[in-house]
C-alpha cells in the first residue's frame, strides 16, 4: 500500500510551466489547490485545465496571476471572473472531444490533481462523482496527485484507478460541494417540466443537462413507464424515479439495465445513492457523449437549456454576449445523438425571460454571443407557454413558432422585428 504524504510534499512535484489538470464539480480538490496557492511564490506560468470547478478556488484570484493561468474547458462560478480577464481564457470544445486534447497531446498534461475514494482491498480508488474527463486525464498525465477523501462515494464503471498510478497520495476528509436544484425550481420551470414530460414517451431514454429545468422535468415523470437514462450528468431528481421503477433501463439500445452517466452533482443524498451502486455506471465522457453511442438508444430524448435563442433558432448556451458564462459542454453531443436516434427528440427548454425580466427569445443574439446549437440542429424549443417545433420549417415559420411561446409582453416587439427582417 502506498503511503500518504503531507500536502506540502505532494504539491512539491508541481513545477513552473506545468500544465495541470484539476478534477472538477464535486471532486474539486480544494485542499490541494490551497496548497498550490501557498507555494505560489516558487511557481510561475502554470496552466490550469479543468471543467466546472467548485468551492473557493484561491488560485483564480488576482494575486496569483503570475503563477496560474486558468485555461477553462467549461466555465463555472469560481473561475468566471478570471476567464473573462487577462488571468484566463476559454477553450470551445464538445465535452466528448476533451479527452482527445489530452490523448493527442494537443493539451498534454504534466500533472493531474484528483479527488478519490479510499483504496479498496485490491488497491483501487474510485474517481467518485466525476469520471467525465478525469479518466482520460489520469490515463495521460505524467504525474498524478490524489486527494483521498473518505466522504467521496465509490462509483463504478470507468472510475477505478489503482494506487500504483499515483505519484503522491494525501489523506484529507472533507464534505463534498452540494447543490439542491429541486429546491430552486420556480413555477415557470414546473410548467416547462410538464410540457417536456408530455413529449417524453414511455420506454424513452433521457438525458438531462444542468440546472433547475431538468429537475423540473424529472419531477413531472412519475407517471411514465420503463424509462432509461443515458446522460452526462445525474442530479437528485433521478433517485425517486429509479426507486419507483419509472426508470428501469430495460428498453435502452445500449447498456441495458444500467443508468449511464459521466458525473453527478447534487445533495449528499445523491452521493450516498450512487455509492457502490452496481446499477449506475460512471463512464468516460468520450464514450457517454459520443453521438453514435447516444443514437443507439431508441426514443433518445435530450433535454438542455440555453441563455438565449434568436427567432431563426440559433441557440446561445455558453455566453452572455462576449462574456464567457459556461461552455459548450455536452449539449451538441446529445442534441445530435438524439436527432439521429430512432424516434429521438432533441429539446431546448427555457423560461421565456430570465429572473431579471430579460427576454430569452430574441430577434438577434447579443453581439459576441456564441452559437452552441445551430439552427440546423434545432428541433423542439419549450417555454412555459408551450412547444415550438422548428425542424423542417423555414425562417419565417420558425420566427412565428417561437413568438407564440415567447413572453406575452415580448411578442409585439418580436413580431415587429420579424416583419422588418422578412418583409423582402
Amino acid at each position: 500500500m502506498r503511503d500518504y504524504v503531507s500536502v506540502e510534499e505532494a504539491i512539491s512535484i508541481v513545477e513552473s510551466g506545468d500544465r495541470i489538470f484539476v478534477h472538477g464539480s464535486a471532486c474539486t480538490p480544494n485542499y490541494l489547490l490551497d496548497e498550490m496557492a501557498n507555494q505560489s511564490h516558487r511557481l510561475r506560468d502554470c496552466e490550469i485545465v479543468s471543467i466546472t470547478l467548485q468551492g473557493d478556488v484561491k488560485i483564480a484570484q488576482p494575486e496569483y496571476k503570475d503563477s496560474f493561468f486558468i485555461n477553462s474547458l467549461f466555465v463555472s462560478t469560481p473561475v468566471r471572473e478570471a476567464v473573462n480577464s487577462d488571468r484566463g481564457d476559454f477553450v470551445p470544445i464538445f465535452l466528448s472531444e476533451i479527452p482527445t486534447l489530452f490523448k493527442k497531446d494537443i493539451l498534454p498534461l504534466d500533472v493531474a490533481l484528483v479527488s478519490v475514494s479510499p483504496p479498496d482491498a485490491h488497491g483501487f480508488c474510485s474517481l467518485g462523482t466525476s469520471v467525465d474527463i478525469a479518466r482520460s486525464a489520469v490515463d495521460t498525465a505524467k504525474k498524478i496527485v490524489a486527494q483521498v477523501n473518505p466522504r467521496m462515494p465509490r462509483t463504478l464503471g470507468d472510475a477505478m484507478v489503482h494506487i500504483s498510478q499515483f505519484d503522491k497520495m494525501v489523506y484529507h476528509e472533507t464534505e463534498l460541494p452540494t447543490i439542491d436544484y429541486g429546491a430552486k425550481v420556480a413555477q415557470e420551470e414546473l410548467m416547462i417540466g410538464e410540457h417536456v414530460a408530455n413529449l417524453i414517451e414511455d420506454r424513452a431514454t433521457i438525458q438531462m443537462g444542468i440546472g433547475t429545468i431538468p429537475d423540473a422535468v424529472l419531477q413531472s415523470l412519475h407517471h411514465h413507464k420503463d424509462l432509461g437514462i443515458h446522460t452526462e450528468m445525474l442530479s437528485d431528481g433521478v433517485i425517486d424515479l429509479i426507486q419507483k421503477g419509472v426508470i428501469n433501463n430495460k428498453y435502452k439500445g445500449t447498456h441495458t439495465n444500467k443508468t449511464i452517466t459521466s458525473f453527478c452533482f447534487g445533495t449528499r443524498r445523491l452521493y450516498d445513492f450512487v455509492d457502490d451502486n452496481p446499477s449506475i455506471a460512471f463512464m468516460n465522457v468520450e464514450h457517454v457523449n459520443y453521438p453514435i453511442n447516444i443514437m443507439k438508444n431508441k426514443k433518445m430524448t435530450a433535454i438542455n437549456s440555453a441563455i438565449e435563442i434568436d427567432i431563426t433558432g440559433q441557440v446561445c448556451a455558453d455566453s452572455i454576449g462576449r462574456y464567457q458564462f459556461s461552455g459548450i459542454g455536452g449539449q451538441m453531443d446529445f442534441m445530435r445523438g438524439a436527432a439521429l436516434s430512432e424516434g429521438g427528440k432533441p429539446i431546448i427548454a427555457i423560461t421565456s425571460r430570465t429572473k431579471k425580466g430579460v427576454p430569452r427569445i430574441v430577434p438577434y443574439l447579443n453581439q459576441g454571443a456564441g452559437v452552441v446549437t445551430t439552427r440546423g440542429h434545432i428541433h423542439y424549443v419549450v417555454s412555459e407557454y408551450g412547444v415550438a417545433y422548428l425542424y423542417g420549417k423555414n425562417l419565417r415559420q420558425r420566427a412565428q413558432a417561437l413568438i407564440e411561446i415567447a413572453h406575452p409582453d415580448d411578442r409585439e416587439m418580436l413580431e415587429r422585428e420579424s416583419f422588418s427582417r422578412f418583409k423582402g
Side-chain angles (χ1 to χ4, degrees):
M1 187 70 71
R2 186 178 293 277
D3 293 332
Y4 294 114
V5 301
S6 68
V7 67
E8 294 84 2
E9 179 182 337
I11 296 302
S12 69
I13 72 171
V14 176
E15 300 175 356
S16 292
D18 279 351
R19 179 178 290 114
I20 305 159
F21 168 81
V22 180
H23 211 168
S25 300
C27 286
T28 306
N30 279 299
Y31 187 58
L32 302 181
L33 296 182
D34 287 349
E35 181 56 28
M36 280 221 299
N38 293 339
Q39 296 189 28
S40 62
H41 61 278
R42 68 171 188 83
L43 297 172
R44 289 293 179 270
D45 301 320
C46 291
E47 179 183 327
I48 306 300
V49 175
S50 64
I51 59 173
T52 59
L53 295 182
Q54 300 295 323
D56 181 16
V57 181
K58 291 181 181 178
I59 60 172
Q61 295 173 2
E63 56 264 41
Y64 301 106
K65 173 184 175 181
D66 294 336
S67 299
F68 307 110
F69 184 84
I70 310 298
N71 199 25
S72 184
L73 302 167
F74 192 97
V75 183
S76 54
T77 302
V79 301
R80 196 168 287 137
E81 181 188 353
V83 167
N84 286 280
S85 73
D86 61 353
R87 308 194 310 276
D89 211 330
F90 165 67
V91 179
I93 188 163
F94 300 138
L95 192 56
S96 62
E97 295 184 358
I98 293 175
T100 300
L101 300 181
F102 304 153
K103 291 180 176 181
K104 293 192 174 180
D105 285 341
I106 298 167
L107 287 179
L109 301 174
D110 297 298
V111 182
L113 306 181
V114 294
S115 291
V116 298
S117 68
D120 61 19
H122 304 286
F124 283 94
C125 299
S126 169
L127 291 168
T129 58
S130 289
V131 171
D132 46 59
I133 67 170
R135 176 74 262 175
S136 294
V138 166
D139 289 343
T140 59
K142 296 171 186 172
K143 294 178 283 189
I144 306 168
V145 177
Q147 176 180 309
V148 179
N149 183 3
R151 301 292 289 162
M152 181 65 66
R154 182 178 182 270
T155 60
L156 308 176
D158 291 336
M160 294 303 167
V161 185
H162 195 266
I163 58 171
S164 60
Q165 287 189 250
F166 301 137
D167 294 272
K168 304 287 183 182
M169 293 173 64
V170 177
Y171 187 90
H172 180 70
E173 181 169 358
T174 185
E175 189 47 87
L176 307 185
T178 60
I179 189 167
D180 188 354
Y181 290 115
K184 299 180 178 183
V185 174
Q187 183 60 37
E188 295 87 353
E189 291 161 334
L190 287 173
M191 295 166 68
I192 292 168
E194 291 176 2
H195 290 315
V196 173
N198 288 334
L199 293 173
I200 298 173
E201 302 176 47
D202 290 342
R203 299 189 177 183
T205 298
I206 58 176
Q207 171 261 340
M208 303 79 61
I210 296 173
T212 50
I213 288 177
D215 248 57
V217 174
L218 292 169
Q219 290 179 33
S220 302
L221 293 177
H222 285 266
H223 297 293
H224 281 64
K225 296 178 182 177
D226 298 322
L227 298 179
I229 295 285
H230 185 115
T231 185
E232 71 190 42
M233 178 201 175
L234 282 185
S235 62
D236 285 70
V238 302
I239 300 174
D240 291 341
L241 294 174
I242 292 173
Q243 291 178 336
K244 286 180 63 175
V246 173
I247 294 171
N248 57 29
N249 297 297
K250 287 183 179 179
Y251 296 96
K252 296 167 67 180
T254 181
H255 300 296
T256 308
N257 301 316
K258 293 273 188 182
T259 291
I260 299 300
T261 190
S262 74
F263 75 101
C264 69
F265 192 32
T267 69
R268 187 69 226 182
R269 183 186 179 214
L270 178 65
Y271 304 152
D272 290 340
F273 181 74
V274 301
D275 183 40
D276 208 27
N277 188 331
S279 73
I280 302 175
F282 283 69
M283 305 189 76
N284 192 323
V285 78
E286 68 180 349
H287 177 86
V288 175
N289 282 43
Y290 188 42
I292 290 176
N293 291 333
I294 295 167
M295 70 175 283
K296 292 176 183 177
N297 296 296
K298 294 180 180 179
K299 301 182 181 179
M300 184 72 216
T301 306
I303 306 150
N304 290 276
S305 196
I307 291 172
E308 59 179 358
I309 302 175
D310 77 8
I311 56 174
T312 72
Q314 293 188 109
V315 177
C316 172
D318 69 342
S319 66
I320 302 172
R322 290 173 292 180
Y323 186 82
Q324 196 62 46
F325 187 79
S326 55
I328 291 174
Q331 182 169 124
M332 267 306 304
D333 294 330
F334 276 94
M335 292 292 285
R336 192 60 183 149
L340 296 171
S341 161
E342 183 180 336
K345 295 177 181 177
I347 300 168
I348 295 291
I350 55 168
T351 54
S352 62
R353 284 181 165 182
T354 69
K355 288 183 171 65
K356 295 181 179 180
V358 178
R360 291 191 189 275
I361 298 174
V362 294
Y364 303 96
L365 299 181
N366 277 310
Q367 185 176 11
V371 175
V372 169
T373 295
T374 75
R375 54 194 180 187
H377 291 100
I378 197 80
H379 285 226
Y380 294 88
V381 180
V382 180
S383 80
E384 68 268 35
Y385 295 104
V387 179
Y389 184 62
L390 306 186
Y391 189 67
K393 288 184 166 61
N394 63 37
L395 298 182
R396 290 176 176 83
Q397 292 169 332
R398 286 163 175 251
Q400 189 55 47
L402 288 168
I403 290 168
E404 290 173 3
I405 67 166
H407 193 281
D409 293 343
D410 298 329
R411 292 175 190 173
E412 184 178 344
M413 174 273 293
L414 291 169
E415 289 277 11
R416 235 181 6 254
E417 293 286 349
S418 177
F419 177 79
S420 175
R421 179 167 183 164
F422 300 122
K423 62 184 178 183

